[in-house]
Amino acid sequence: MVLTAQAQADRLGFDLSSEPEVGRLIAFFSNGVPSGGRVLELGTGSGVGLAWIVHGIGERTDVEVVSVELDGERAVQAQAMGWPEWVSIIEGDGADVVGTLGSFDLIFPDAPGGKIFKLRKTIADLRAGGVILVDDMDLSRHSDPELRNGLATVKDRLLQHPDLICAELPFASGVIVARRRKGDR
Ligand SMILES: C[S@@+](CC[C@H](N)C(=O)[O-])C[C@H]1O[C@@H](n2cnc3c(N)ncnc32)[C@H](O)[C@@H]1O
C-alpha cells in the first residue's frame, strides 16, 4: 500500500506525505498496539502515513484504524484506494473530531487540527500506555514564524505534560514520541 499511496501522491502533486523514515516508525508503533487496539491519524493526505500504519498492522484483524481528512476531495481519493475493512477515512476537521471518536492506543496528529489546535483534546484521547507520534518538529526546517510558534507550542505541551513520557528523535523531519504513563487512567 505504501508504494500505491506514494504513487497517488506523486500523481496528484501532493508533497506533504510522511518521509519513509517516519513511516517506518509509524509502522513500528502500529504493530505494537494491543489486541482490540485503535489507531487515529489526523490528516490523511494521499494515504502514505495510513499505508505505513496498515503495513505495521499487517495481517492482524484485531485493530481499528481511523484517519481524518479536512479536504473532501482528498478524503474521497484516499477512500478509493482499497484499504482493509478495519480502516475508515472520515472527512472532517481534526480539531472538531478529537474527543468524539473514543480513545486510542496510537495517535498520529499530522494536521493543524488536533496538533497545533486542540492538542490537549488529542492527548486526552490517548489510552494508558498509548503513544502519540508527531513529525515535522525540526523547527529549523520551517521559515513561517506562525508555524514555528505553533510547532514550538506543540513541543512544549508534549514535553511538559505530566502524564506523558517523551523522547525527541532528531531525524528526518524531527519526531517526538510521547507515551501516556500506564496506571494514569
Ligand atoms: C502533512 S499532510 C498529511 C500527510 C499524511 N498524514 C502522511 O503521513 O502521508 C496534512 C493533511 O492534513 C489535512 N488537513 C489540514 N488541516 C486539517 C484539519 N484541521 N483536520 C484534518 N485534516 C487536515 C490536509 O488537507 C493534508 O491532507
Side-chain angles (χ1 to χ4, degrees):
M1 290 286 326
V2 174
L3 293 179
T4 305
Q6 189 56 61
Q8 167 126 319
D10 294 344
R11 194 167 53 248
L12 297 173
F14 183 79
D15 60 1
L16 297 174
S17 298
S18 290
E19 297 163 87
E21 296 88 345
V22 174
R24 287 191 190 96
L25 193 61
I26 296 166
F28 171 89
F29 282 110
S30 298
N31 184 258
V33 302
S35 183
R38 302 183 75 224
V39 179
L40 174 66
E41 177 188 50
L42 301 174
T44 312
S46 287
V48 172
L50 182 57
W52 280 111
I53 292 169
V54 168
H55 172 68
I57 293 170
E59 298 302 311
R60 295 177 61 181
T61 55
D62 59 345
V63 179
E64 179 190 359
V65 179
V66 181
S67 184
V68 181
E69 171 58 50
L70 181 66
D71 183 300
E73 192 178 346
R74 210 167 275 158
V76 169
Q77 285 162 342
Q79 283 161 349
M81 287 175 58
W83 302 97
E85 63 181 14
W86 35 266
V87 171
S88 48
I89 297 172
I90 298 172
E91 181 187 340
D93 186 333
D96 296 334
V97 163
V98 285
T100 70
L101 296 175
S103 59
F104 293 89
D105 300 281
L106 175 64
I107 305 180
F108 177 37
D110 197 25
K115 180 179 179 181
I116 293 176
F117 306 108
K118 307 291 183 192
L119 179 62
R120 278 183 233 268
K121 278 172 71 183
T122 305
I123 294 170
D125 281 352
L126 200 60
R127 293 176 175 169
V131 170
I132 286 188
L133 186 157
V134 288
D135 70 352
D136 294 321
M137 296 306 296
D138 179 354
L139 303 189
S140 70
R141 286 189 175 205
H142 307 288
S143 54
D144 176 0
E146 198 177 329
L147 179 59
R148 282 173 70 109
N149 282 344
L151 293 173
T153 303
V154 171
K155 178 176 171 176
D156 289 348
R157 289 238 162 94
L158 290 172
L159 296 187
Q160 293 170 14
H161 197 291
D163 301 331
L164 299 177
I165 304 173
C166 298
E168 290 184 80
L169 309 178
F171 77 108
S173 63
V175 173
I176 298 177
V177 288
R179 181 186 298 279
R180 179 180 285 281
R181 290 175 180 276
K182 290 191 177 179
D184 178 43
R185 72 172 159 139

